[in-house]
Amino acid sequence: MWRKAGVGVLAALLGVGGFGCSPKGDDELPPIARTYANPIALEDEWGEYGLGDPFIFKYNGYYYLYVSTRDTDEGIKVWRSPDLAKWTYEGLCAEEPLTKGAYAPEVRYWNGKFYLYTSPAGQGHYVLVADKPTGPFKAATDNFGRTIDGSTFVDDDGRWYFYYAGPSGIQAAPMEDPLTVAPEELPTGAYMGGWTEGPTVFKRNGKYFMTYTGNHVFSAGYRVDAAVGDSPLQGFRGFANNPVLLRTEGPTVGLGHNSLVRGPDLDTDYMIYHNLEGPGVVGPLRHMNMDRIVWNGDRFYVAGPTAGPQPAPELPDFEDRFERSDLGSDWQKKGADEWAASPEEGLIARAKGSGELSMLLAKPKTEEDYTAEFHVRIGALAEAEAAAGAVFSYEDDDNYGVVLLDPGAGRVTAEVRRDGRAEESAEAALPANVDLSRLHELRVEKQGRSLRFYVDGMNALRLELRSDLGAGRVGYAARNAEAGFGYAAFSGHVGGSGARTAYAPIPGAWQAVHSEDGGAVGGEGTGGDAANGYYAAGLKKGDSLSYRVNVESDGEYSLRFRVRPGPEGAKFRLVAGKTAFTPDIEVKPDPAGEPGEWLAAGADGVKLKAGPQRWKLEIVSGTMDFISADAAKYAPVTAAKEEFEDRSSSGWTRYEGVWTIKEGQLRASSVQPAKILWGDYGWTDYEFEADLTVPDEGGRTGVLVRATNPANGMDQGQNRTDFVQGYYVYADAAGLHLAKLNYGTVPLADADYSLPKAGDMLRLKIRAIGDRITVFAGGADTPVIDFADRGDAPFLRGKVGFQAADTAARFDHASVAPVS
């Protein structure tokens, strides 16, 4: 069923009218027991400064949170949590004078030491070192510059890299060791067209990913972009349809400076970021936010931003921190060697040098596919063949897998035993800078016949099995050594599969591949700059896919589905229990389009109740492919006119420029670019008409449709005219044009149309239906532009408005009306 999308374009088709049925049925999910809600405030945070630039990392079963220090204060605060939900303040982890106004502290563990990188007041960087994540951290370097927002990444080969904000985007440099940044300064290619900061780099499936933020912390348009590359230093390419996180109006705005962390289920990634609440006593007042990341192929999506109650991060199926004086009832010894636990040292194995493998096995069993996490250090060696590590998929003494760290050879080895014989094995050298006498995280991912092994996040080894290896027990193993062990856990999620049982926040989007039904992912097509993903292929009458959603509030919504209909088209609907709460949504191939295009079909005015729900997408007739869907608050379009006769612009919201009403016209000064919006963000399909003046040479004047997430692009010296998401139809000296604005400008179409002279009025009518934007000029009935946005993210909802730049402009006789 699951196939991979090709590089080809995606598209949208018109939606269906309103439908009034609340989803309910006999398979409703129980209420969510553990929740959190953004923004998050914590005890002992910096007063009137909050939790800016939040960074979270995990060490030995606990999460540690570090935030920027208020400009007037010294010291860096740290909190600890077992589950990303309950946080305990641990005090100041650093108090040296150089930590005054310590911006964006980030911590990395390596070989028994914790390295903290920070940029005090944005003036270069220091590295501080501690023996514990709670400190005390002490300065280990002088100021080595490199602007602000330093972040590190360690590749699979143990090489370190340093990233920071540069004048033209994020810059990178190799590191000689955790304390030394090489002199190189390389542009990564990650750039937001203005000040760009807050980089985070990680690796997945052989590709390097980066998230980064811009353009100004006091802007409502502060946002997060993402990029992907084939090298850790250069050649990063921005995701199609960046930004990945943005909200400029509503409960949280100014979202950015994120970190990424894996949740307690060992599988789900979370984006940790801050929102802007306004000026504090000193600097910006900000608080922490957290939203889940979901993957589809090599492209990730943020399930947010959210502001209502959301399910707290899911816990593992089993975990143990060994914070006690006995082994506990959940564990069973195998072998004659000694195993003991203590609150101070954790779990200890004292092998006697017999050469036999001694094991301590957890009694609960994993599922067939799972992720398991272990922590291992190897002390005194009894013999050259000393090793320690983890057991996985243990069925009995003759059937199990084991992955061992070998300090003598500096290698990691994995072996699968069947019927008492070692049938499959693999080994690889560890980076030379890994000290196995210190605690290391050992991670096992079992997915089908594929086994992946990680050491401290480095992809150390992979083993492809010839036959299935089923569910079983996990545990620790030691041979010929005194070894120490820490946190152990396992989860039935692996490779992002946790998204199948997670609740997609509504308003928001969900991917077809994340149905509860699951299924093997495979198929055809090639990826391109992380823009493609998998889809449900060949759906036919009687097929259904099930999804969990969490609706934030009661109300009417518009739903849109990206589908590819078969030759005869298809009909589908959403069902909760036995009740359809959308009409049968019909989609047919666009006769004016290209074969095999993705289209967007949907329904408006769908009444939803707040809370967790299970929705099923059912195919009523025909055949189709399905890749994704989204839901947003809906507002019906009511016919309205604005003649600007009463000197009032009530209902219009100014974002940039100097606007006045004079002689019955709305006017924008040429002093600076100007943007103003009218209507409701929940509007879907409509016609918008208005008169506007033809601009002077070098200027442009136009109208906006489907506009959302506007911000003042002139604010804080950003000098940007594209701080909005929507379509822009404008006139300039070359004629009429259609562009897509998305905190960047993408030209879409040009019209062969002779404009009146500069200063004269031009009548424009824009019809927005589904993905199609049709432009009429001068009162004519024949369109001058007829463009279907066949990209993978057409704008399907939003306000109308005006925008002008580098010219004075006048607007009049504006009207909006619904269309079907």
Side-chain angles (χ1 to χ4, degrees):
M1 174 184 290
W2 302 107
R3 297 186 182 276
K4 192 168 187 183
V7 184
V9 294
L10 307 172
L13 199 64
L14 63 95
V16 184
F19 191 73
C21 180
S22 299
K24 59 183 180 179
D26 56 11
D27 66 342
E28 289 183 346
L29 294 166
I32 299 169
R34 300 168 53 250
T35 64
Y36 76 97
N38 292 325
I40 299 166
L42 297 178
E43 292 184 1
D44 299 295
E45 65 184 38
W46 293 107
E48 293 301 314
Y49 194 75
L51 302 169
D53 308 323
F55 174 82
I56 295 178
F57 93 114
K58 186 181 181 184
Y59 170 73
N60 199 18
Y62 284 103
Y63 295 93
Y64 296 88
L65 164 67
Y66 309 82
V67 300
S68 283
T69 300
R70 191 168 53 195
D71 293 49
T72 54
D73 291 74
E74 295 176 358
I76 296 173
K77 295 190 172 189
V78 59
W79 290 259
R80 187 176 77 153
S81 172
D83 57 8
L84 290 178
K86 301 184 295 290
W87 291 95
T88 302
Y89 180 55
E90 298 287 340
L92 294 175
C93 66
E95 300 185 62
E96 296 197 5
L98 66 84
T99 61
K100 183 177 180 179
Y103 289 177
E106 295 197 4
V107 175
R108 183 171 293 276
Y109 170 79
W110 187 255
N111 285 341
K113 297 290 185 180
F114 298 86
Y115 298 88
L116 186 153
Y117 303 81
T118 188
S119 178
Q123 302 298 313
H125 289 89
Y126 294 85
V127 185
L128 295 84
V129 182
D131 294 323
K132 298 190 299 183
T134 53
F137 283 90
K138 301 296 182 181
T141 69
D142 293 328
N143 191 328
F144 58 89
R146 306 297 174 104
T147 65
I148 191 174
D149 290 353
S151 183
T152 60
F153 165 70
V154 180
D155 208 347
D156 296 335
D157 57 6
R159 295 180 181 177
W160 284 58
Y161 300 90
F162 190 75
Y163 304 86
Y164 54 98
S168 297
I170 302 302
Q171 297 192 159
M175 299 180 70
E176 298 172 12
D177 55 54
L179 299 176
T180 310
V181 178
E184 292 93 332
E185 296 192 65
L186 302 170
T188 64
Y191 184 47
M192 299 178 77
W195 180 250
T196 306
E197 61 188 19
T200 293
V201 173
F202 59 101
K203 192 174 185 180
R204 187 176 190 270
N205 293 340
K207 295 181 180 291
Y208 300 88
F209 293 86
M210 183 191 299
T211 59
Y212 45 100
T213 295
N215 292 128
H216 197 285
V217 70
F218 272 114
S219 171
Y222 199 59
R223 61 203 182 277
V224 177
D225 277 9
V228 62
D230 301 313
S231 160
L233 287 173
Q234 292 187 287
F236 281 88
R237 306 172 296 273
F239 274 20
N241 304 307
N242 269 328
V244 296
L245 184 71
L246 171 70
R247 179 190 275 148
T248 67
E249 296 179 355
T252 55
V253 302
L255 314 179
H257 199 116
N258 75 282
S259 59
L260 294 172
V261 68
R262 184 170 289 120
D265 71 350
L266 314 181
D267 179 63
T268 302
D269 296 319
Y270 286 88
M271 180 172 283
I272 312 298
Y273 59 97
H274 70 233
N275 70 291
L276 176 68
E277 298 184 9
V281 172
V282 178
L285 173 59
R286 300 163 292 182
H287 277 101
M288 183 171 72
N289 296 253
M290 174 175 66
D291 282 310
R292 183 169 41 87
I293 283 176
V294 296
W295 288 88
N296 186 355
D298 287 329
R299 175 75 181 269
F300 72 79
Y301 302 82
V302 181
T306 65
Q310 302 298 323
E314 187 177 349
L315 300 176
D317 297 331
F318 171 82
E319 63 179 351
D320 198 335
R321 294 180 175 84
F322 298 100
E323 296 172 334
R324 57 184 181 273
S325 299
D326 57 69
L327 295 179
S329 59
D330 284 329
W331 296 89
Q332 178 185 10
K333 289 200 307 180
K334 288 283 185 179
D337 292 328
E338 178 185 348
W339 292 80
S342 73
E344 297 77 25
E345 294 187 274
L347 179 66
I348 298 292
R350 294 181 175 90
K352 298 177 180 178
S354 66
E356 297 297 322
L357 193 66
S358 177
M359 294 185 284
L360 184 72
L361 298 171
K363 292 180 180 178
K365 289 186 177 182
T366 69
E367 299 181 26
E368 289 198 3
D369 286 346
Y370 59 87
T371 300
E373 182 182 310
F374 310 91
H375 292 77
V376 182
R377 62 178 173 83
I378 304 173
L381 309 183
E383 292 185 5
E385 295 183 357
V391 183
F392 58 91
S393 294
Y394 178 93
E395 183 179 346
D396 54 42
D397 289 350
D398 293 327
N399 296 274
Y400 61 88
V402 63
V403 55
L404 297 174
L405 303 177
D406 182 340
R411 303 183 73 80
V412 56
T413 62
E415 179 179 280
V416 172
R417 299 184 67 85
R418 304 178 195 267
D419 297 326
R421 297 185 302 273
E423 290 199 352
E424 294 151 299
S425 63
E427 63 176 69
L430 290 168
N433 54 356
V434 172
D435 180 359
L436 292 180
S437 71
R438 304 296 185 174
L439 195 67
H440 295 277
E441 181 189 276
L442 182 58
R443 175 182 173 88
V444 179
E445 295 180 354
K446 180 186 177 298
Q447 194 168 19
R449 295 184 182 179
S450 178
L451 289 169
R452 299 180 292 271
F453 305 93
Y454 300 82
V455 177
D456 293 335
M458 298 178 289
N459 190 351
L461 192 64
R462 183 165 184 156
L463 179 59
E464 296 297 330
L465 303 177
R466 293 187 294 272
S467 58
D468 292 335
L469 185 66
R473 298 158 67 185
V474 301
Y476 282 117
R479 182 179 61 211
N480 296 347
E482 180 176 297
F485 305 93
Y487 177 75
F490 68 76
S491 165
H493 298 316
V494 61
S497 66
R500 294 174 185 165
T501 54
Y503 290 84
I506 302 297
W510 68 96
Q511 300 289 304
V513 73
H514 296 146
S515 70
E516 288 185 284
D517 318 84
V521 176
E524 56 206 24
T526 57
D529 292 359
N532 296 320
Y534 294 94
Y535 60 90
L539 297 175
K540 61 185 182 303
K541 181 179 178 179
D543 287 343
S544 67
L545 297 171
S546 175
Y547 300 92
R548 295 186 184 187
V549 301
N550 180 35
V551 180
E552 183 177 287
S553 60
D554 295 356
E556 291 190 341
Y557 291 76
S558 64
L559 303 176
R560 293 294 182 269
F561 303 81
R562 281 178 44 222
V563 300
R564 183 163 58 188
E568 303 303 318
K571 289 183 180 180
F572 61 96
R573 63 190 179 192
L574 280 182
V575 173
K578 297 181 180 179
T579 304
F581 61 95
T582 68
D584 289 353
I585 300 167
E586 184 173 9
V587 59
K588 293 182 178 181
D590 183 355
E594 298 294 328
E597 288 182 323
W598 291 92
L599 314 173
D604 292 329
V606 178
K607 295 179 180 178
L608 301 178
K609 291 290 185 181
Q613 299 160 29
R614 175 180 284 116
W615 292 354
K616 290 184 179 179
L617 184 146
E618 292 185 348
I619 309 302
V620 178
S621 64
T623 60
M624 71 178 200
D625 302 332
F626 167 47
I627 192 167
S628 65
D630 74 274
K633 285 294 187 73
Y634 169 73
V637 180
T638 302
K641 293 183 178 182
E642 179 61 82
E643 299 291 347
F644 306 108
E645 294 294 341
D646 58 359
R647 295 183 173 272
S648 170
S649 58
S650 176
W652 294 77
T653 303
R654 184 192 73 86
Y655 293 91
E656 297 157 358
V658 179
W659 293 89
T660 59
I661 294 179
K662 185 177 180 180
E663 298 176 354
Q665 294 177 330
L666 179 66
R667 302 189 176 201
S669 167
S670 61
V671 172
Q672 66 174 234
K675 177 169 78 247
I676 195 167
L677 296 183
W678 180 38
D680 195 291
Y681 293 124
W683 285 358
T684 54
D685 296 342
Y686 51 75
E687 285 185 345
F688 178 46
E689 292 189 67
D691 292 341
L692 64 157
T693 49
V694 175
D696 296 327
E697 182 75 22
R700 63 181 186 274
T701 307
V703 300
L704 293 163
V705 294
R706 299 272 179 77
T708 60
N709 281 315
N712 186 346
M714 298 294 109
D715 189 32
Q716 307 293 335
Q718 297 171 101
N719 298 317
R720 294 280 296 274
T721 62
D722 51 15
F723 275 25
V724 67
Q725 293 179 308
Y727 298 103
Y728 184 33
V729 179
Y730 66 95
D732 64 10
L736 282 175
H737 315 276
L738 172 65
K740 190 174 185 178
L741 304 184
N742 187 15
Y743 287 75
T745 301
V746 178
L748 298 180
D750 303 304
D752 183 13
Y753 184 78
S754 297
L755 294 172
K757 68 179 186 296
D760 285 357
M761 281 289 187
L762 170 68
R763 184 73 175 171
L764 287 181
K765 179 171 71 172
I766 316 300
R767 180 179 297 151
I769 302 178
D771 73 340
R772 190 173 293 278
I773 305 297
T774 307
V775 180
F776 303 85
D781 294 330
T782 301
V784 294
I785 295 176
D786 187 20
F787 183 84
D789 185 355
R790 301 296 161 92
D792 64 347
F795 296 132
L796 301 173
R797 311 169 183 87
K799 295 185 178 184
V800 298
F802 300 129
Q803 180 165 299
D806 301 318
T807 185
R810 294 176 284 123
F811 302 89
D812 203 356
H813 307 303
S815 66
V816 64
V819 294
S820 59

